[in-house]
Amino acid sequence: MLDVAFVRANLDAVKLNCANRCVVADVDRIVTLDDERKRLITETQKKQQRANEVPKLIAKEKDPTTKNQLIAEGKTLREEISALEKKQKQIEADLDAVLMTLPNMTHPDAPIGQTSDANRVIKKVGEPRNFDFPPKDHVALVEALDLADFEAGASVAGQKFYFLKNEAVLLELALVQYAMQTLLARGFTPIITPDLARVEVLEGIGFMPRDPNPETRQVYTIADTDLCLVGTAEITLGGMHRHQILDTAKLPLKYVGLSHCFRTEAGAPGRDTRGLYRVHQFTKVEMFAYCLPEQSEEIHLELLAIEEQIFQGLGLAYQVIDTCTGDLGGPAYRKYDLEAWMPGRGTGGEYGEVTSTSNCTDFQARRLNIRCKAAGQKGTRFVHTLNGTAVACTRALVAILENYQNADGSVTVPEVLRPWVGKERIAR
RNA sequence: GGAGAGGUGGCAGAGUGGUUGAAUGCGUCGGUCUCGAAAACCGAUUUACCCGCAAGGGUAACGAGGGUUCGAAUCCCUCCCUCUCCGCCA
């Protein structure tokens, strides 16, 4: 969420930003509603001031007639204040609703464009492997090597669920270990988060679990509760410190969280329907940082560097994407994606998204009410929050299986994962 | 899940309807004293918002949200959380 004062002071910039990010929002209405809100507050406070005086007078008043008059006045004041507060609440709800539609501001260097076509490739690392045999896609590999059971997944939980089997299980656990160890070495605090979170937390992060349209709602909600299955540990890691004032000296806080992720994948029908690429549940190791505003750009680059380190370590070719305005989503100020080469994707291989790291500046912190304060100093500031994928297991599995396959149908285990997988080659 | 207790300022801990934003202690910061320090003494020590060019003035908040009342940290309701005991379980 943006600061109302900021919006008022930068009306044109906010409107341009909305246009760049393909968001339709009634920015002018924010000013109108905010004016009305302030007017109501001022009026309420005047009445409240009198309402505070009256009881004190009553306590001292001896004359019964005057006393009764004061009691009557107090009664009237209470009714008036109550009515004003009701009005104020409504205005604030309206204002909030408009503010909720506004996306975060955008980094000046982010590419401007409506669709993913405008995303900018800023770096390519590693060469897509040349095969001297026709490479299989991961679905074929998984079937041949008995690494997953999609039919059982569909039978038990429905389309886009799966059972991992055999070495795929070991690979997933190895990926988690590998990512965790990499982040631990960089001073991140390891966390295992809840897989469920309250609706308010989801909303604070920028999800819309109350979206009445099931076609666009991204998350599963739990019937008869105010809980949702988390789509990413970003939600829980970001919610972890909500309503807190953090000590400036202890920032940045860097966490590496492990959780399952659940996504309805509504609105993505027909896309990547096969295999592990787009599924309703997967395991993910996620980085999350809370920091001072002046630290966030540097940390964003650090998160990107870590993602690159992890995929370089896995020996996978990838490209780095600077995401364009139209593709940023609501909370991100800037977003980099890593796309790994996937030989089985499309015809003849394509890059497929494996990680994503966003600098959300104070957009989430404002909604989640996470501030920081220097000891001994007056005043607080909203922190900046950042997130980034360390490893999304299923996507990484796709890339590993397809890139490490051999002519004989076996798959070589990436060297960094061997300590946990316990073998060099997966074969049947 | 059942029974009970409880959630007050950085911490500890008073306060059960009337100048209580909140005693007291500790901590922290500033000052006096001192060559310096300790001790002692004095003072300060939350956050958000509104009005105002400013100085300054005001409103709100005692887990959260409602309610009763002229007046609520104090009474009532709902929710969240913590603790103890029992049950259950990995």
Side-chain angles (χ1 to χ4, degrees):
Chain A
M1 182 161 69
L2 295 181
D3 180 17
V4 183
F6 174 86
V7 174
R8 298 189 66 127
N10 300 276
L11 267 188
D12 291 336
V14 170
K15 284 180 189 171
L16 176 62
N17 185 57
C18 285
N20 284 340
R21 296 179 66 141
C22 310
V23 169
V24 180
D26 191 350
V27 181
D28 291 318
R29 184 140 177 271
I30 289 173
V31 178
T32 317
L33 286 168
D34 190 47
D35 284 340
E36 178 65 1
R37 183 183 68 90
K38 286 183 177 175
R39 193 187 65 74
L40 286 168
I41 287 174
T42 308
E43 197 181 337
T44 307
Q45 289 187 350
K46 271 188 204 147
K47 299 237 184 244
Q48 191 62 250
Q49 192 172 353
R50 177 60 186 164
N52 286 339
E53 291 163 8
V54 169
K56 289 173 190 169
L57 296 175
I58 290 170
K60 284 184 207 153
E61 187 56 57
K62 296 280 188 282
D63 177 56
T65 313
T66 316
K67 196 167 192 160
N68 281 334
Q69 278 171 0
L70 284 168
I71 289 175
E73 186 188 354
K75 212 171 238 181
T76 311
L77 279 169
R78 180 164 54 96
E79 281 159 12
E80 288 172 344
I81 289 166
S82 162
L84 282 168
E85 280 176 344
K86 202 175 157 195
K87 236 193 239 175
Q88 188 187 323
K89 254 189 185 171
Q90 183 55 51
I91 293 290
E92 275 171 359
D94 293 347
L95 179 59
D96 209 46
V98 183
L99 281 171
M100 282 284 274
T101 63
L102 295 186
N104 200 356
M105 295 304 284
T106 309
H107 191 288
D109 295 341
I112 292 170
Q114 307 281 303
T115 67
S116 54
D117 298 336
N119 288 342
R120 184 189 296 144
V121 177
I122 55 175
K123 192 176 185 182
K124 279 183 191 271
V125 174
E127 283 293 314
R129 179 178 161 195
N130 269 320
F131 289 89
D132 49 13
F133 60 92
K136 299 174 180 168
D137 73 4
H138 78 278
V139 179
L141 289 163
V142 149
E143 276 168 11
L145 296 169
D146 194 20
L147 297 178
D149 190 336
F150 295 106
E151 279 181 30
S155 167
V156 166
Q159 268 289 321
K160 291 188 189 172
F161 284 95
Y162 56 94
F163 285 76
L164 284 186
K165 292 174 73 180
N166 298 313
E167 287 89 343
V169 174
L170 302 180
L171 277 172
E172 166 152 328
L173 295 175
L175 283 165
V176 170
Q177 271 288 357
Y178 167 60
M180 276 288 171
Q181 296 296 341
T182 304
L183 272 295
L184 241 60
R186 286 187 175 252
F188 282 62
T189 303
I191 303 279
I192 291 179
T193 87
D195 286 340
L196 275 66
R198 292 181 202 287
V199 165
E200 317 142 47
V201 178
L202 282 271
E203 287 174 340
I205 291 294
F207 285 77
M208 292 184 294
R210 281 189 247 244
D211 185 346
N213 181 0
E215 301 293 307
T216 51
R217 201 190 305 133
Q218 299 278 347
V219 296
Y220 292 99
T221 54
I222 313 283
D224 304 322
T225 71
D226 66 340
L227 293 169
C228 308
L229 292 171
V230 298
T232 159
E234 173 194 354
I235 291 163
T236 42
L237 291 169
M240 197 159 64
H241 291 298
R242 72 193 181 116
H243 302 309
Q244 290 183 14
I245 298 175
L246 305 171
D247 180 0
T248 298
K250 296 204 172 109
L251 297 177
L253 292 175
K254 296 178 183 175
Y255 294 111
V256 51
L258 171 64
S259 84
H260 289 115
C261 304
F262 302 90
R263 301 190 179 178
T264 60
E265 296 298 348
R271 277 161 56 195
D272 314 303
T273 46
R274 275 163 52 80
L276 292 170
Y277 189 85
R278 190 178 298 280
V279 286
H280 287 314
Q281 176 184 333
F282 58 97
T283 306
K284 182 157 64 74
V285 179
E286 176 82 356
M287 305 178 280
F288 197 94
Y290 297 85
C291 68
L292 298 173
E294 53 271 25
Q295 296 170 329
S296 68
E297 289 212 31
E298 188 188 331
I299 291 176
H300 195 200
L301 292 175
E302 183 190 352
L303 297 186
L304 175 59
I306 293 169
E307 294 180 351
E308 290 197 55
Q309 180 193 344
I310 287 170
F311 278 83
Q312 281 175 26
L314 288 171
L316 296 168
Y318 63 87
Q319 61 182 16
V320 181
I321 300 292
D322 193 350
T323 308
C324 79
T325 48
D327 225 16
L328 275 175
Y333 174 71
R334 198 174 202 185
K335 175 153 89 178
Y336 300 113
D337 288 352
L338 246 62
E339 296 182 342
W341 180 254
M342 298 180 179
R345 199 168 155 72
T347 51
E350 281 175 8
Y351 284 100
E353 182 180 334
V354 283
T355 75
S356 179
T357 178
S358 301
N359 179 0
C360 297
T361 61
D362 61 358
F363 191 86
Q364 295 175 329
R366 203 173 285 285
R367 293 206 56 82
L368 293 166
N369 189 23
I370 307 169
R371 292 168 288 159
C372 62
K373 181 178 188 296
Q377 274 182 29
K378 280 244 169 223
T380 60
R381 288 193 289 168
F382 285 106
V383 300
H384 279 196
T385 58
L386 303 100
N387 63 80
T389 317
V391 164
C393 288
T394 39
R395 291 275 171 101
L397 272 174
V398 170
I400 289 168
L401 293 174
E402 292 185 358
N403 280 287
Y404 277 86
Q405 61 181 302
N406 302 309
D408 64 1
S410 68
V411 169
T412 304
V413 176
E415 203 169 332
V416 291
L417 301 183
R418 286 178 200 167
W420 295 291
V421 177
K423 56 169 76 171
E424 290 181 22
R425 224 166 57 90
I426 302 167
R428 285 289 170 271

